[in-house]
Amino acid sequence: MSTTILSYIQLQIIRYATPIILILGNLGNICIIISFSRRRQSSCAMYLLFNALFNSFYLTFNVSLSLYGLYYGNPTSSNLILCKCRYYLSQTWNQTATTFAILACIDRFALVTRHKYLQLINKSFICRIIIGITCISWHTLLIPTLFFVTIENRSCTFIGIYYLIYSIYIAIFLSLIPPILMIIFGLLSYHNMTQLHTRIRPMMSNDIVIIHRRDRQLFLLVLAQAIVYVLTIFPYPFIVLEVTITNQMGIQKSVQWIQIENFLSIIGVVLTYISCATPFYTYFVASKTFRKDFLNSFTQCQHQ
C-alpha cells in the first residue's frame, strides 16, 4: 500500500470518523449520566457515572483539537499553554476515567466477597470519598507533565528523554495494569457471582430479589466494558513505545516506515476514542435490565 493511500485514509478517518465518534460518544455518555444519577445509592453506578463523565471530557477535548488542527492547523504547535494542557488534561482525564472503570470492577468483587472490610467499598459515603480522592490524586500526580512538555520545531512534544519515559508510562498504566486489574477482579467476581443464588431464599421479599438482579446486571455492565477496554486500548501505547524507542536509537526510517507509524498511531488513537465512546452502547447490548430501564425512562420523558 503506497504512502499516498495511507495518508489519504488517515485524513478521512480524522475528518469523518472522529466527529461521529464524538457525537455518538457524548450522547451515550450523557445517557449514562442521566440513567445512573437516579441510582446514587449504588456505588458501582456512581463509579460508572464518573467514568462516563471523564470519558466525555477526554473525548471532547482531544477530538476537538484534532478537528481544529485538520482545518486550521495544529494549535498546540504555536500555543505553549495549550500544548502543555493537551498532554496534562488528556492523561489526567483518561487515567481518571480508567480508574473509575477499575473501581467498578473492584466494587462488584467487594459485593460478593465475604470480607467485611472490603464490603465497605459498597457503602455510598465511602464511594463518595473514593471518587473525591481519585479525582484529586490524578489531577495532582500528573502536574509534572506540565514541566516536561514544550514546543520544538513547531511540534508539541516532551523534552529529551522524557518522551521515552512517557511512552513507558502509558504502556504500563494504560495497557498493562488496568486490563490486568479488570481481568483479575472480573474473574473473581464471576466466580463468586455464580454462587450468588445461595443468597436468595424463597422466604425473601421481592425487593431483595430485585436488588440482587440489579447488582447482577451491573456486574454484566462492568464485565462488558472491561472487555471492550482491553480490546481497544491495548494496541496504542505499544505503537507509541515503538515509535519512541526507534527514534531514541537514531534508526534511519524511510518515508514509508514513517507513514506506516503515523497511520498506526491514528488507528490507535481512534481506538482509544472508541473506548471512551462505547460504554452506553455496550451496556445497552449486554444488559436487558439496563436496556429496559433506559427505554422506560425515555418513554416517561416523552410523555411529560
Side-chain angles (χ1 to χ4, degrees):
M1 184 179 293
S2 68
T3 57
T4 304
I5 295 177
L6 286 178
S7 298
Y8 176 78
I9 295 174
Q10 179 178 323
L11 183 65
Q12 300 311 309
I13 289 174
I14 298 174
R15 177 172 293 165
Y16 297 110
T18 56
I20 295 174
I21 294 172
L22 175 63
I23 295 171
L24 294 180
N26 277 335
L27 181 62
N29 287 327
I30 290 172
C31 290
I32 291 175
I33 293 170
I34 293 174
S35 298
F36 287 155
S37 62
R38 302 176 181 178
R39 302 173 62 180
R40 296 179 183 177
Q41 296 304 314
S42 170
S43 53
C44 183
M46 293 307 297
Y47 292 138
L48 295 179
L49 184 153
F50 276 88
N51 171 261
L53 180 65
F54 281 95
N55 276 340
S56 277
F57 288 165
Y58 174 84
L59 200 60
T60 302
F61 181 71
N62 285 281
V63 174
S64 298
L65 281 180
S66 297
L67 292 175
Y68 185 91
L70 178 65
Y71 294 103
Y72 303 104
N74 188 354
T76 62
S77 62
S78 57
N79 188 315
L80 183 60
I81 294 177
L82 190 57
C83 169
K84 292 178 179 293
C85 288
R86 173 193 173 191
Y87 281 100
Y88 170 70
L89 293 178
S90 294
Q91 283 305 307
T92 298
W93 291 339
N94 194 12
Q95 290 289 12
T96 304
T98 302
T99 302
F100 283 126
I102 296 172
L103 287 171
C105 293
I106 297 174
D107 179 89
R108 293 300 85 188
F109 170 70
L111 181 70
V112 293
T113 187
R114 295 181 179 180
H115 299 287
K116 295 182 179 180
Y117 291 107
L118 191 56
Q119 289 178 348
L120 290 174
I121 297 176
N122 301 125
K123 303 295 183 181
S124 59
F125 73 95
I126 296 294
C127 170
R128 295 188 184 97
I129 294 174
I130 293 176
I131 289 173
I133 292 174
T134 301
C135 294
I136 294 172
S137 296
W138 280 118
H139 282 80
T140 303
L141 290 173
L142 291 176
I143 287 178
T145 305
L146 297 170
F147 301 100
F148 301 142
V149 175
T150 188
I151 297 176
E152 291 183 357
N153 300 321
R154 296 191 59 81
S155 177
C156 179
T157 185
F158 279 84
I159 301 172
I161 197 173
Y162 289 110
Y163 193 76
L164 176 60
I165 297 174
Y166 170 77
S167 302
I168 296 173
Y169 153 76
I170 63 172
I172 294 174
F173 287 93
L174 282 182
S175 285
L176 292 180
I177 293 179
I180 290 173
L181 291 177
M182 289 180 182
I183 291 171
I184 290 174
F185 286 103
L187 291 176
L188 290 174
S189 300
Y190 178 78
H191 172 73
N192 292 339
M193 188 69 72
T194 57
Q195 303 175 4
L196 266 181
H197 66 277
T198 58
R199 290 188 177 187
I200 303 177
R201 296 290 185 269
M203 69 286 295
M204 287 185 176
S205 67
N206 290 332
D207 290 338
I208 296 178
V209 175
I210 291 174
I211 292 173
H212 164 69
R213 287 175 179 171
R214 289 190 179 278
D215 286 333
R216 189 172 183 178
Q217 291 300 317
L218 281 173
F219 166 75
L220 291 177
L221 301 187
V222 170
L223 183 61
Q225 183 175 0
I227 293 173
V228 173
Y229 179 89
V230 172
L231 294 176
T232 54
I233 291 293
F234 192 78
Y236 176 65
F238 293 102
I239 295 172
V240 175
L241 193 60
E242 183 275 335
V243 174
T244 306
I245 292 176
T246 52
N247 288 340
Q248 290 290 329
M249 293 173 62
I251 296 177
Q252 296 296 323
K253 301 180 181 180
S254 64
V255 175
Q256 187 174 11
W257 186 347
I258 295 174
Q259 286 291 338
I260 291 174
E261 285 182 339
N262 291 338
F263 178 75
L264 291 177
S265 296
I266 289 296
I267 296 299
V269 169
V270 171
L271 287 175
T272 304
Y273 294 162
I274 291 174
S275 175
C276 296
T278 54
F280 170 77
Y281 308 101
T282 303
Y283 301 163
F284 197 85
V285 172
S287 172
K288 181 179 179 180
T289 300
F290 178 85
R291 188 163 57 247
K292 182 179 179 180
D293 289 346
F294 175 77
L295 292 176
N296 288 339
S297 299
F298 183 76
T299 303
Q300 291 175 2
C301 291
Q302 283 187 321
H303 290 302
Q304 289 179 354

